[in-house]
Amino acid sequence: MRPSDRYVHSLNFSLFIGGPCVLGAQKLGALTIHAGTIPSDRLLQILRQFHATVIWTTPSYAWYLGETAIKEGYDLRKDLAVRRIFVAGEPGGSIPETRNRIEQLWGASVYDYYGLSDIFGSCAGMCEEKDGLHWAEDHILVEVIDPDSGEPVKAGDRGEMVLTTLQKTARPMIRFRTGDIVSFNPEPCRCGRTAIRLNGVHGRRDDMLIIKGVNLFPSDVEAVARQDHELTGEYRLVVDRINHLDRLTVEVKHIHGYNGEPHALADRFERSSRPSPASRPRSRC
């Protein structure tokens, strides 16, 4: 963001760490509009009236707002001036397939941020390279551990993120277990920064499914569902039990106007699924 930008903040202003982020835009000197969580039609009017160039919201709402704008007759590239979208609050922004779909919808660049109210504001953020989120290591000590043994995991492996505050004085937190399952990259980024990079939040400990001995997070399914442009990107996971064994069925929805065979689309989705064939989820469209 630059002083010449017109920034619309559309995150919740209640007891949520995203609320105070407007202070950074104000300090920078950008025109700052405190929209908060208002109806989509009013938010679109604000974006159009003020020719907003930057907006901050959640990944799912950015997608929804773009689709709503099109239904309302907006041309996202001509009628609106949004060119950068900051997202936070959900893991979707760090999933390339989801981020790409939002970017193609808006014709704008999407940047993911991570933060949590228990610790700090935006603990990590994405640069122009979009190759992970840079940690604010001068404020936060980051560990990624095996959730069961508590031992550190290797770079690139998934584990639970544990955070310790380094600058807070009124309410310091030591080895706070976030419950977020992440992976990290310690190598310097192409942008020149040397801070640890968060590869993304793959899920939460309480989100994980174990299907035939394979650990599966909803974000793994999301990545497959949103790379196929003949699917809407929406999905539902249905877990049932047959003969004492868990079975996962993934339901996906094809786009309006799709003229192919639904079973062929379902088969293609199943082949694209990441788990091994023995544990691959059944799919239906």
Side-chain angles (χ1 to χ4, degrees), residues 3-136:
S4 59
D5 278 309
R6 296 172 294 279
Y7 169 62
V8 172
H9 187 88
S10 58
L11 287 175
N12 195 340
F13 277 94
S14 65
L15 298 176
F16 172 54
I17 195 59
C21 294
V22 295
L23 300 177
Q26 289 175 336
K27 186 173 182 179
L28 182 65
L31 172 66
T32 305
I33 302 166
H34 306 185
T37 51
I38 60 175
S40 298
D41 58 341
R42 291 182 59 194
L43 181 56
L44 289 170
Q45 289 174 10
I46 289 175
L47 296 179
R48 187 173 196 172
Q49 179 179 355
F50 291 94
H51 302 281
T53 57
V54 183
I55 185 173
W56 196 329
T57 184
T58 62
S60 59
Y61 188 68
W63 194 330
Y64 172 81
L65 185 64
E67 292 183 336
T68 300
I70 292 173
K71 291 178 183 177
E72 295 292 328
Y74 287 83
D75 184 319
L76 292 177
R77 288 164 174 77
K78 294 181 180 179
D79 298 330
L80 301 180
V82 176
R83 294 297 174 261
R84 288 180 295 283
I85 302 174
F86 302 152
V87 296
E90 300 166 355
S94 58
I95 299 173
E97 293 80 4
T98 298
R99 193 170 64 250
N100 291 341
R101 291 289 287 267
I102 298 172
E103 290 182 334
Q104 291 165 9
L105 178 65
W106 281 87
S109 294
V110 175
Y111 302 92
D112 191 30
Y113 284 80
Y114 177 90
L116 66 170
S117 302
D118 309 84
I119 292 287
F120 192 61
S122 295
C123 304
M126 200 171 263
C127 70
E128 291 285 354
E129 298 293 339
K130 299 182 183 179
D131 188 14
L133 285 71
H134 296 280
W135 271 101

Side-chain angles (χ1 to χ4, degrees), residues 4-281:
S4 59
D5 278 309
R6 296 172 294 279
Y7 169 62
V8 172
H9 187 88
S10 58
L11 287 175
N12 195 340
F13 277 94
S14 65
L15 298 176
F16 172 54
I17 195 59
C21 294
V22 295
L23 300 177
Q26 289 175 336
K27 186 173 182 179
L28 182 65
L31 172 66
T32 305
I33 302 166
H34 306 185
T37 51
I38 60 175
S40 298
D41 58 341
R42 291 182 59 194
L43 181 56
L44 289 170
Q45 289 174 10
I46 289 175
L47 296 179
R48 187 173 196 172
Q49 179 179 355
F50 291 94
H51 302 281
T53 57
V54 183
I55 185 173
W56 196 329
T57 184
T58 62
S60 59
Y61 188 68
W63 194 330
Y64 172 81
L65 185 64
E67 292 183 336
T68 300
I70 292 173
K71 291 178 183 177
E72 295 292 328
Y74 287 83
D75 184 319
L76 292 177
R77 288 164 174 77
K78 294 181 180 179
D79 298 330
L80 301 180
V82 176
R83 294 297 174 261
R84 288 180 295 283
I85 302 174
F86 302 152
V87 296
E90 300 166 355
S94 58
I95 299 173
E97 293 80 4
T98 298
R99 193 170 64 250
N100 291 341
R101 291 289 287 267
I102 298 172
E103 290 182 334
Q104 291 165 9
L105 178 65
W106 281 87
S109 294
V110 175
Y111 302 92
D112 191 30
Y113 284 80
Y114 177 90
L116 66 170
S117 302
D118 309 84
I119 292 287
F120 192 61
S122 295
C123 304
M126 200 171 263
C127 70
E128 291 285 354
E129 298 293 339
K130 299 182 183 179
D131 188 14
L133 285 71
H134 296 280
W135 271 101
E137 290 191 88
D138 52 341
H139 289 274
I140 304 290
L141 176 65
V142 188
E143 300 174 81
V144 182
I145 65 171
D146 182 293
D148 297 319
S149 70
E151 294 297 318
V153 302
K154 295 184 296 184
D157 289 350
R158 294 185 179 188
E160 182 181 359
M161 184 163 56
V162 178
L163 303 177
T164 298
T165 58
L166 301 177
Q167 299 288 345
K168 291 178 70 173
T169 55
R171 186 171 171 262
M173 301 288 283
I174 299 175
R175 305 204 75 213
F176 177 79
R177 298 190 64 158
T178 65
D180 288 329
I181 301 298
V182 306
S183 58
F184 70 97
N185 183 352
E187 297 297 322
C189 179
R190 291 187 297 271
C191 74
R193 293 178 176 87
T194 58
I196 292 175
R197 279 176 285 157
L198 179 69
N199 291 335
V201 179
H202 306 293
R204 290 190 52 79
R205 291 190 64 184
D206 47 10
D207 284 342
M208 187 178 71
L209 302 173
I210 302 178
I211 307 297
K212 297 181 181 178
V214 176
N215 296 346
L216 178 71
F217 290 96
S219 59
D220 296 325
V221 178
E222 179 177 320
V224 181
R226 294 183 172 173
Q227 67 185 2
D228 192 327
H229 286 252
E230 290 186 319
L231 298 174
T232 64
E234 302 302 320
Y235 63 95
R236 179 165 63 181
L237 307 182
V238 180
V239 180
D240 55 8
R241 178 162 289 189
I242 304 296
N243 296 327
H244 308 289
L245 293 175
D246 288 332
R247 181 182 65 174
L248 172 65
T249 300
V250 180
E251 297 179 352
V252 291
K253 183 179 180 181
H254 60 67
I255 60 172
H256 179 71
Y258 173 71
N259 297 318
E261 292 292 333
H263 73 270
L265 192 56
D267 289 344
R268 189 169 75 207
F269 177 85
E270 190 168 334
R271 290 194 301 271
S272 299
S273 300
R274 294 178 177 177
S276 61
S279 59
R280 183 170 292 151

